[in-house]
Amino acid sequence: MDAVFLSRLQFGLTAFFHFLFPPLSIGLATIIAVMEFLYWRTGKEVYDRMSRFWFKLFAIIFAVGVASGITMEFQFGTNWSEYSRFVGDIFGAPLAAEGVFAFFLESTFMGLLLFGRDRISKAMRFFASFFVALGSTLSAFWIIVANSWQQTPAGFQIEGGRAVLTDFFAAVFNPSTIPRYLHTVDASYITAAFFVIGISAWFLLRNKNVEVAKGSMKIALIFALFAVVAQGFLGDMHAKQVAVTQPAKLAAFEGMWENSANASLNLIGFPDPQKEETRFSIGVPGLLSWLVYGDTRAEITGLKAFTPEDRPPVLATYWSYRVMIFLFGWFVLLVLWGAYLFIKGRIYTDRRFLKTAYYSMLLPLAANEFGWFAAEIGRQPWIVNGLLKTGVAVSPLPAGEILLTILLFVVVYSGLLGALVYLIRREVKKAAVEEDMTATSAVSLSGTVPVQQ
């Protein structure tokens, strides 16, 4: 067993599990803030019910996200001591800022909504939900600053074998921070919108909690429509940044081996790293050059421009990127379908759409994970691009100890995931039952006795 491989596997597993939750919590916090704003300005009770229901799910997701995220930070010291020694002067600042400026802001106002919602005004409820949403997006910013510095390091100099911070703002706003931040936050909005649409579809298919489901689906569909459109532009901006700052990664995305002017945008193919070619490639000539540089004659760097040991794992990078793109295409089609049905007034009754939305609600989580695979595997063999290779960044730990902790993580995280699913299912079913009880009470108060069928 190889300690480097096991350390990478451990961090990959914990990061994979953790990354299921921040996109959901970021997007849900913003959608809840919209609901609270509508309740404040209109006074309609349905918006209050919507906000209360979705906030319960948000709190569950947030709690598991926090629990799973803490272990990742400990691994920097336990499994990646050489990496921590090299980047500690730079990496510590954004992680500290995330805790001080973002996490505490989010947690404080979340506590206010959890324990004091009924003791504060509608306006204060909106402002509390706004600051929860702001805190979650600020938290994402600082984490992405740290990760982006690994992708495109800036604002430092090497002293004594360590990266020393020389320009805080250059490090924070390194070339990939803003494109990656906007791309990720928008993906979070898509993730939460599909989650809300999917659960709302479940209610509508069973004719339960209908008023909350209709209002939630309307807000989430509008949210998804804008987010999906924006993602087309933000993804393009991020890809252009990758082309300039990480050409080996772009070449792996495209399965492109030779430097090429009039480079084709690869739609599908089968990269063969042994023969250094992509078989059965189908592409659009000149489109990649045009998308990156606005000129079909511009040259794109191929994988052969890099030594074999400096190339990312091509197959994993290529297919992760493809899956992300294909899933995004599905999101576009589903949102357009929903928008069409909404305009026609049939979105709440079209069972084909409702079933499709329900079964698609977790697909954005998969797209997020595959996008993360493409970004991080595509950076290899570097843990800090161009400065420190992954293979020399690990701690000198016995492989058996790492394997044992991996098995423990699998057990604990399986328990956390099971608890999460159980709690969410319980809250959803509880909301459906409570709605039925409310309707029954209303009928009883009106003096009408329900007829047994």
Side-chain angles (χ1 to χ4, degrees):
M1 293 183 292
D2 178 44
V4 175
F5 169 76
L6 289 173
S7 289
R8 294 176 68 182
L9 177 62
Q10 183 185 88
F11 194 85
L13 286 172
T14 53
F16 174 88
F17 183 77
H18 173 68
F19 195 46
L20 293 171
F21 310 113
L24 266 176
S25 60
I26 292 167
L28 271 179
T30 307
I31 291 174
I32 290 167
V34 171
M35 293 173 178
E36 286 288 353
F37 176 80
L38 292 172
Y39 179 54
W40 172 36
R41 302 312 300 168
T42 68
K44 292 182 179 179
E45 182 264 346
V46 65
Y47 293 124
D48 177 48
R49 290 166 54 202
M50 288 160 56
S51 174
R52 287 176 185 270
F53 170 70
W54 293 110
F55 193 79
K56 290 177 183 177
L57 303 193
F58 168 81
I60 296 167
I61 293 165
F62 176 83
V64 178
V66 170
S68 60
I70 291 172
T71 57
M72 292 174 57
E73 296 192 15
F74 280 112
Q75 285 181 74
F76 294 134
T78 58
N79 292 60
W80 300 95
S81 58
E82 290 303 309
Y83 166 77
S84 297
R85 186 189 68 82
F86 184 79
V87 303
D89 188 61
I90 294 173
F91 213 68
L95 292 183
E98 189 269 338
V100 173
F101 300 126
F103 179 74
F104 288 140
L105 175 69
E106 182 180 15
S107 301
T108 298
F109 285 98
M110 182 179 170
L112 183 61
L113 288 173
L114 275 174
F115 304 111
R117 178 188 292 266
D118 294 324
R119 301 180 182 182
I120 56 178
S121 66
K122 295 175 185 176
M124 190 62 216
R125 278 176 49 173
F126 163 65
F127 285 110
S129 64
F130 171 80
F131 282 116
V132 170
L134 178 63
S136 67
T137 52
L138 282 176
S139 180
F141 175 77
W142 290 110
I143 295 301
I144 287 173
V145 164
N147 185 261
S148 295
W149 190 88
Q150 294 178 249
Q151 307 277 348
T152 52
F156 73 99
Q157 63 184 27
I158 302 297
E159 293 181 5
R162 298 174 65 247
V164 176
L165 185 66
T166 58
D167 188 331
F168 177 77
F169 288 99
V172 169
F173 297 102
N174 64 73
S176 65
T177 294
I178 297 302
R180 297 179 80 243
Y181 174 66
L182 296 177
H183 181 59
T184 304
V185 170
D186 192 69
S188 300
Y189 294 156
I190 294 172
T191 302
F194 270 64
F195 183 72
V196 172
I197 291 170
I199 292 180
S200 299
W202 185 89
F203 283 131
L204 292 170
L205 284 167
R206 288 155 180 79
N207 199 32
K208 304 287 187 181
N209 211 11
V210 173
E211 193 176 12
V212 166
K214 286 182 176 181
S216 298
M217 180 172 283
K218 179 180 178 181
I219 292 172
L221 180 65
I222 295 170
F223 218 77
L225 182 61
F226 281 100
V228 164
V229 171
Q231 193 64 279
F233 295 98
L234 296 173
D236 174 70
M237 179 174 69
H238 184 25
K240 288 176 178 176
Q241 168 261 306
V242 169
V244 173
T245 61
Q246 296 174 283
K249 182 189 288 189
L250 180 73
F253 285 169
E254 295 297 319
M256 192 174 77
W257 297 90
E258 305 285 350
N259 292 359
S260 177
N262 196 40
S264 296
L265 180 71
N266 180 274
L267 302 178
I268 194 68
F270 298 90
D272 186 338
Q274 300 299 321
K275 294 183 179 180
E276 297 187 334
E277 64 179 17
T278 299
R279 294 177 294 138
F280 310 113
S281 178
I282 300 174
V284 181
L287 186 55
L288 181 61
S289 294
W290 182 79
L291 286 173
V292 173
Y293 295 110
D295 182 357
T296 58
R297 297 165 297 179
E299 183 173 87
I300 303 295
T301 305
L303 286 163
K304 289 184 180 180
F306 306 92
T307 59
E309 60 269 18
D310 286 340
R311 297 172 191 168
V314 176
L315 290 175
T317 306
Y318 179 88
W319 286 112
S320 296
Y321 182 72
R322 285 294 167 290
V323 173
M324 178 190 70
I325 294 297
F326 292 155
L327 285 173
F328 176 70
W330 173 243
F331 302 155
V332 172
L333 293 175
L334 188 59
V335 168
L336 291 177
W337 184 14
Y340 170 78
L341 291 174
F342 181 77
I343 293 171
K344 294 294 183 180
R346 304 202 309 267
I347 190 171
Y348 306 126
T349 56
D350 191 302
R351 295 187 66 83
R352 287 182 303 171
F353 173 79
L354 295 176
K355 287 181 179 179
T356 304
Y358 173 69
Y359 288 116
S360 298
M361 70 175 176
L362 298 182
L363 289 181
L365 293 174
N368 294 337
E369 297 288 4
F370 280 107
W372 171 66
F373 291 162
E376 300 305 314
I377 297 173
R379 188 187 68 231
Q380 301 303 317
W382 304 98
I383 193 168
V384 179
N385 192 35
L387 297 175
L388 182 68
K389 289 196 171 181
T390 306
V392 299
V394 297
S395 303
L397 293 173
E401 293 182 6
I402 305 172
L403 180 60
L404 176 61
T405 57
I406 290 174
L407 295 175
L408 290 173
F409 274 127
V410 169
V411 171
V412 173
Y413 282 3
S414 296
L416 280 174
L417 184 60
L420 175 88
V421 172
Y422 167 76
L423 290 171
I424 288 179
R425 286 171 59 90
R426 187 186 70 175
E427 290 300 326
V428 171
K429 290 181 178 180
K430 182 180 176 183
V433 171
E434 287 177 348
E435 192 269 346
D436 284 347
M437 292 175 63
T438 302
T440 302
S441 299
V443 170
S444 300
L445 289 171
S446 69
T448 303
V449 179
V451 177
Q452 296 292 330
Q453 299 293 329

